Amino acid sequence: QVQLVESGGGLVQAGGSQRLSCAASGRAFSSVAMGWFRQEPGKEREFVAAITRSGRNTYYADSVKGRFTISRDNAKNTVYLQMNDLKVEDTAVYYCAADRRFLSNMLSVRTDDYNAWGQGTLVTVST
């Protein structure tokens, strides 16, 4: 099973940029799609972006489309989330996750389709 560790969170001003990284251990990394989710206190975890095994296809939540970019480097076992034009409402704990469907080319927005999660990294966007 893939083990995941996020980094790159912190405090950023509205309109600024931040890049999150998620380092994966295990040889299965390039065999599964990856996703980013986020969670605000007292709210359910919500989908942000997902990327296929090869990195050729991506999918975004409407709230981040055009501002966030997900990418991956299979040689480095790492997935990234570049966040631009950040808004106060982007403040949340961000989690990367590995899709449970081995060798699938499908992308999912459902937390139930992911079976490995990082510990999360907090992104705070200030005015």
Side-chain angles (χ1 to χ4, degrees), residues 5-19:
V5 178
E6 301 97 337
S7 61
L11 178 64
V12 61
Q13 283 193 321
S17 298
Q18 195 93 332
R19 187 175 86 154

Side-chain angles (χ1 to χ4, degrees), residues 26-40:
R27 293 186 293 176
F29 178 76
S30 60
S31 300
V32 296
M34 297 293 296
W36 284 96
F37 289 75
R38 66 187 182 186
Q39 188 169 22
E40 298 174 65

Side-chain angles (χ1 to χ4, degrees), residues 6-127:
E6 301 97 337
S7 61
L11 178 64
V12 61
Q13 283 193 321
S17 298
Q18 195 93 332
R19 187 175 86 154
L20 306 182
S21 299
C22 173
S25 63
R27 293 186 293 176
F29 178 76
S30 60
S31 300
V32 296
M34 297 293 296
W36 284 96
F37 289 75
R38 66 187 182 186
Q39 188 169 22
E40 298 174 65
K43 294 188 177 181
E44 291 191 356
R45 196 166 295 188
E46 67 172 4
F47 170 79
V48 174
I51 188 167
T52 53
R53 297 181 289 124
S54 67
R56 277 194 289 270
N57 293 306
T58 57
Y59 187 74
Y60 297 92
D62 287 343
S63 58
V64 306
K65 201 172 295 181
R67 300 188 297 120
F68 290 13
T69 302
I70 187 172
S71 62
R72 68 189 294 164
D73 185 338
N74 286 342
K76 295 183 178 180
N77 273 19
T78 303
V79 61
Y80 305 96
L81 186 68
Q82 177 66 44
M83 305 183 292
N84 297 330
D85 190 23
L86 282 160
K87 305 177 187 299
V88 171
E89 51 264 39
D90 293 320
T91 296
V93 177
Y94 284 72
Y95 299 89
C96 67
D99 198 302
R100 67 171 62 248
R101 298 165 297 177
F102 196 68
L103 297 178
S104 171
N105 290 318
M106 303 294 290
L107 293 176
S108 176
V109 304
R110 292 161 25 95
T111 56
D112 288 350
D113 284 328
Y114 295 82
N115 65 348
W117 295 83
Q119 83 288 352
T121 186
L122 176 63
V123 174
T124 303
V125 184
S126 65
T127 56

